[in-house]
């Protein structure tokens, strides 16, 4: 997924601060536009609870995500690449 400001705020509000650097874990913190691996349930909550789910990189999405999110939802929010 590509991180958005709205999603970072949503995630922080839900107790998962992805913006703050944590050098002790070698984590630099995320900024809008970064690509990040996100669990399917958090993405689903971001989409349907708050309307802030980030775009999805379908080629990098594991098929097990379909256990939690319909393919149509992922396709509707797929990152469009210039080919």
């Amino acid at each position: 997924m590509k991180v958005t400001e709205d999603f970072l705020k949503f995630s922080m509000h839900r107790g998962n601060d992805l913006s703050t650097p944590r050098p002790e874990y070698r984590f630099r913190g995320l900024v809008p536009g970064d690509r990040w691996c996100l669990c399917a349930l958090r993405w689903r909550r971001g989409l349907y609870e708050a309307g802030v789910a980030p775009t999805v990189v379908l080629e990098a999405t594991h098929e097990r995500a379909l256990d939690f999110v319909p393919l149509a939802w992922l396709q509707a929010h797929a990152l469009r690449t210039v080919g």
Side-chain angles (χ1 to χ4, degrees):
M1 67 152 208
K2 281 190 85 166
V3 177
T4 63
E5 182 68 32
D6 287 339
F7 184 79
L8 290 171
K9 288 177 185 176
F10 166 77
S11 190
M12 182 180 288
H13 178 72
R14 297 291 300 244
N16 188 20
D17 180 4
L18 298 172
S19 301
T20 302
R22 299 289 305 263
E24 66 272 27
Y25 300 113
R26 290 188 275 170
F27 179 68
R28 64 176 178 80
L30 300 177
V31 297
D34 283 346
R35 285 177 64 167
W36 186 250
C37 181
L38 180 66
C39 75
L41 285 177
R42 179 66 73 167
W43 184 87
R44 180 182 177 132
R45 288 184 188 118
L47 177 62
Y48 285 97
E49 289 180 14
V52 296
T55 56
V56 175
V57 180
L58 288 177
E59 297 81 12
T61 302
H62 195 281
E63 67 184 61
R64 293 283 315 269
L66 298 175
D67 292 347
F68 307 96
V69 180
L71 179 58
W73 295 3
L74 296 171
Q75 290 171 327
H77 292 85
L79 178 66
R80 307 290 180 227
T81 58
V82 177

